Amino acid sequence: MPRNPKVSILLNCYNGEKFLKSAIDSALEQTFGDWELIFFNNCSTDSSKKIFFSYKDNRLKYFERKSKTDLVHARNEAINHASSNWIAILDSDDFWKKEKLEKQISALEKMQALDAK
């Protein structure tokens, strides 16, 4: 039985083609690799879908709405597709430094260890 990833990265997108490649690349370049990326297309009319499908990585998962909604509802819908206990938000016009997830997960694990004492 496959194990769930430690982190689900939510990437909600509405017409994000201008910076989308940089956002996805920054997830793929993370030094921490135990994640899935939930790409949630909110009825984009640009080439966002084509850009997403230009990537071949089994951690990338695609979901698409039939009608446009606001970002809050789109994020909540994306969360419903997550299979991990930790959620990270990556906007389509953002990018992460390579150690972002590694540093955050390390800090979370240290906090959990302290709470367990």
Side-chain angles (χ1 to χ4, degrees), residues 11-69:
L11 200 165
N12 289 82
C13 183
Y14 173 71
N15 291 342
E17 70 182 0
K18 186 173 182 182
F19 301 107
L20 184 57
K21 185 171 176 5
S22 293
I24 295 172
D25 287 346
S26 74
L28 290 168
E29 293 169 355
Q30 289 299 298
T31 55
F32 179 87
D34 190 11
W35 53 262
E36 67 180 352
L37 185 140
I38 307 297
F39 184 86
F40 196 81
N41 188 353
N42 194 4
C43 299
S44 294
T45 57
D46 64 1
S47 64
S48 294
K49 182 176 183 176
K50 182 179 179 182
I51 292 167
F52 174 84
F53 282 109
S54 71
Y55 290 89
K56 307 297 181 225
D57 189 304
N58 62 359
R59 297 173 294 177
L60 304 180
K61 305 195 170 54
Y62 183 86
F63 300 92
E64 184 172 354
R65 279 194 53 85
K66 301 290 184 214
S67 60
K68 189 172 180 318
T69 190

Side-chain angles (χ1 to χ4, degrees), residues 8 21 24 32 45 55 75 87 90 101 107 109:
S8 294
K21 185 171 176 5
I24 295 172
F32 179 87
T45 57
Y55 290 89
R75 281 208 175 127
I87 301 293
L90 174 61
L101 286 179
E109 289 174 344

Side-chain angles (χ1 to χ4, degrees), residues 72-96:
V72 171
H73 288 100
R75 281 208 175 127
N76 285 333
E77 286 185 42
I79 286 171
N80 290 332
H81 297 287
S83 55
S84 69
N85 290 327
W86 296 108
I87 301 293
I89 305 291
L90 174 61
D91 289 326
S92 60
D93 62 349
D94 289 342
F95 69 93
W96 289 345

